[in-house]
Amino acid sequence: MTAISKSDWLSSLAWNEQGLVPAIAQDAQTKEILMFAWMNREALEETVATNRGVYWSRSRSKLWRKGEESGHVQRVKEVRIDCDSDVVLLLIDQIGVACHTGRRSCFFTQLIGGQWVAVDAPTVDPESVYK
Amino acid sequence: MTAISKSDWLSSLAWNEQGLVPAIAQDAQTKEILMFAWMNREALEETVATNRGVYWSRSRSKLWRKGEESGHVQRVKEVRIDCDSDVVLLLIDQIGVACHTGRRSCFFTQLIGGQWVAVDAPTVDPESVYK
């Protein structure tokens, strides 16, 4: 009998040349897409271990535990990957808001008549969301 | 008076070092996330001009007009970007299925007890979906 390593599920992902995969966070109830970020192995492992959304901040080159300072945390209900094993989808309950602008979702800008228009308004003070 | 170029909305996106942005296709009605792919400028421009999902195939290094051979096309109802202008979200009506495996969505694999499990079954013959 061969023992199966606990981390095999991590190894089977197709990490890119920077050791990252794109990650989409979707509201588990409304199905609204809340944000898009990147994960390295450590971020995904911690996400699964803690059931909290943890990402890799490419701009700050460090783990980004969503909401760890603001309280706007993500409770992870389900983790999925796509058919190429190179994109992660998190089904989450978002406490507060996902976007640093104070909006529930980062995807608030719509192309209308050749112009990008912000179609959703902030629901909380952006200052309260950072990190 | 300054004439505003029609392509200004394209230039305002934060294209990555390969000239690409990630693109998420979401069912406009059910909000199910159907697939994830990449777009270059030309793909996004054609998507908006034709209201059909057009992507950039990184493996084949060419435009990928989703469904042009199989008929599994995507009618684009809405185009959004995220707060960093570096991710595109398409709200679409998917004719047939999005995934090359014959499933409606590419995100049919869920992490359950440390194992990746295919939780959704194909609804059409995969042979009918390619391209």
Side-chain angles (χ1 to χ4, degrees):
Chain A
M1 209 176 87
T2 311
I4 295 173
S5 160
K6 269 284 192 188
S7 63
D8 274 2
W9 64 271
L10 273 171
S11 301
S12 63
L13 262 70
W15 305 95
N16 74 8
E17 57 280 6
Q18 284 91 42
L20 304 175
V21 289
I24 304 164
Q26 182 179 31
D27 189 299
Q29 306 305 318
T30 66
K31 307 301 182 200
E32 183 180 21
I33 298 180
L34 298 174
M35 56 175 267
F36 173 96
W38 293 83
M39 285 184 170
N40 63 0
R41 247 180 115 94
E42 198 181 349
L44 181 54
E45 193 164 26
E46 187 170 316
T47 293
V48 169
T50 62
N51 288 317
R52 291 286 178 94
V54 179
Y55 305 93
W56 176 254
S57 169
R58 296 184 304 168
S59 58
R60 287 178 283 144
S61 293
K62 55 184 265 195
L63 280 186
W64 170 36
R65 296 177 179 89
K66 175 73 180 161
E68 72 177 333
E69 293 183 22
S70 65
H72 294 263
V73 298
Q74 300 177 333
R75 291 188 187 132
V76 177
K77 314 306 280 186
E78 206 174 302
V79 179
R80 290 189 175 224
I81 50 173
D82 77 341
C83 52
D84 294 326
S85 304
D86 62 0
V87 182
V88 168
L89 170 61
L90 302 181
L91 280 291
I92 64 165
D93 288 344
Q94 174 70 56
I95 309 304
V97 301
C99 186
H100 74 286
T101 65
R103 292 167 174 93
R104 178 123 181 104
S105 163
C106 296
F107 292 89
F108 58 84
T109 303
Q110 186 182 344
L111 187 65
I112 301 176
Q115 308 265 2
W116 294 113
V117 181
V119 292
D120 302 317
T123 54
V124 304
D125 178 358
E127 286 298 313
S128 74
V129 190
Y130 187 67
K131 295 184 180 173
Chain B
M1 209 174 87
T2 310
I4 295 174
S5 160
K6 269 283 192 188
S7 64
D8 274 2
W9 63 272
L10 273 171
S11 300
S12 63
L13 262 70
W15 305 95
N16 74 8
E17 57 281 5
Q18 285 91 41
L20 304 175
V21 290
I24 305 164
Q26 183 180 29
D27 189 299
Q29 306 304 317
T30 66
K31 308 301 183 201
E32 184 181 20
I33 298 180
L34 298 174
M35 53 175 269
F36 173 96
W38 293 83
M39 287 184 169
N40 64 0
R41 250 181 112 95
E42 198 182 349
L44 181 54
E45 193 164 26
E46 187 171 315
T47 293
V48 170
T50 63
N51 287 317
R52 291 285 178 96
V54 179
Y55 304 93
W56 177 254
S57 168
R58 295 185 304 169
S59 57
R60 288 179 280 144
S61 293
K62 57 182 265 194
L63 280 186
W64 171 35
R65 295 176 180 90
K66 175 74 181 159
E68 72 176 332
E69 293 183 20
S70 65
H72 293 264
V73 298
Q74 300 178 332
R75 293 190 186 131
V76 177
K77 315 307 278 185
E78 206 173 301
V79 179
R80 292 189 173 224
I81 50 173
D82 76 341
C83 52
D84 295 325
S85 304
D86 63 0
V87 182
V88 169
L89 170 62
L90 302 182
L91 279 290
I92 64 165
D93 288 343
Q94 173 70 57
I95 310 303
V97 301
C99 186
H100 74 286
T101 64
R103 291 167 174 93
R104 179 124 180 104
S105 163
C106 296
F107 292 89
F108 58 84
T109 303
Q110 186 182 345
L111 188 66
I112 302 175
Q115 307 265 1
W116 294 113
V117 181
V119 292
D120 303 318
T123 55
V124 303
D125 178 359
E127 286 298 310
S128 73
V129 190
Y130 187 65
K131 295 184 178 171

